[in-house]
Amino acid sequence: MALKFGDRIKETTSTSGVSDISLGGAVATFAAFSTILSNGDSTYYTLVDGSNWEIGYGVYASSGNTLSRTNANVLQSTNSDNRISLTGDGAEIFITLPADKVIALNNSNEMVIDGGTYLNATANRYSYLVSGSTQ
């Protein structure tokens, strides 16, 4: 299955503890995870429960409308980068693109990975930059 992203995908959950997330429906003016994810697709998510939060990587299961979460797939959290324990009282979860996973083009059309410039666009072709010289 595929790694997928989507804009304005946000749901509530009444899940409690550290189990997989049971998706409870889209927040007003947002869409549900199921509008872009198929069974077995994966995505990055942010989960917020009060002042606690977690950023991770999960796999969607359409049969239970759930998103998996394990300590191994948590990238950052307020719980020492482990799963947060949910209260079961209206947490929200949304699709995100974590900053440390971003590859972007700067204003000079150079590809930037983790703050360093690695590729330079010349006439719609990219060349690899190493220590300031083109390889």
Side-chain angles (χ1 to χ4, degrees):
M1 298 300 157
L3 173 63
K4 292 188 177 178
F5 298 95
D7 295 324
R8 302 195 50 74
I9 306 297
K10 184 177 185 180
E11 296 200 40
T12 59
T13 181
S14 57
T15 301
S16 57
V18 294
S19 62
D20 291 347
I21 302 299
S22 292
L23 300 167
V27 173
T29 74
F30 289 83
F33 279 66
S34 62
T35 61
I36 63 152
L37 298 178
S38 298
N39 191 56
D41 286 341
S42 56
T43 194
Y44 290 103
Y45 66 86
T46 296
L47 178 60
V48 179
D49 191 6
S51 61
N52 294 313
W53 55 267
E54 165 184 323
I55 300 170
Y57 174 85
V59 178
Y60 179 73
S62 59
S63 62
N65 197 33
T66 61
L67 194 70
S68 68
R69 64 194 276 248
T70 64
N71 279 336
N73 289 334
V74 173
L75 304 173
Q76 298 177 32
S77 79
T78 52
N79 185 27
S80 301
D81 297 341
N82 292 297
R83 290 175 293 185
I84 59 173
S85 184
L86 298 170
T87 62
D89 190 27
E92 293 184 330
I93 184 168
F94 56 91
I95 291 179
T96 193
L97 179 56
D100 63 348
K101 301 295 182 186
V102 171
I103 298 173
L105 294 179
N106 65 17
N107 287 340
S108 299
N109 285 328
E110 298 168 324
M111 188 174 289
V112 179
I113 304 170
D114 198 28
T117 302
Y118 292 94
L119 296 173
N120 186 344
T122 307
N124 295 323
R125 298 179 67 179
Y126 286 92
S127 56
Y128 184 65
L129 298 176
V130 180
S131 300
S133 63
T134 303
Q135 299 294 312

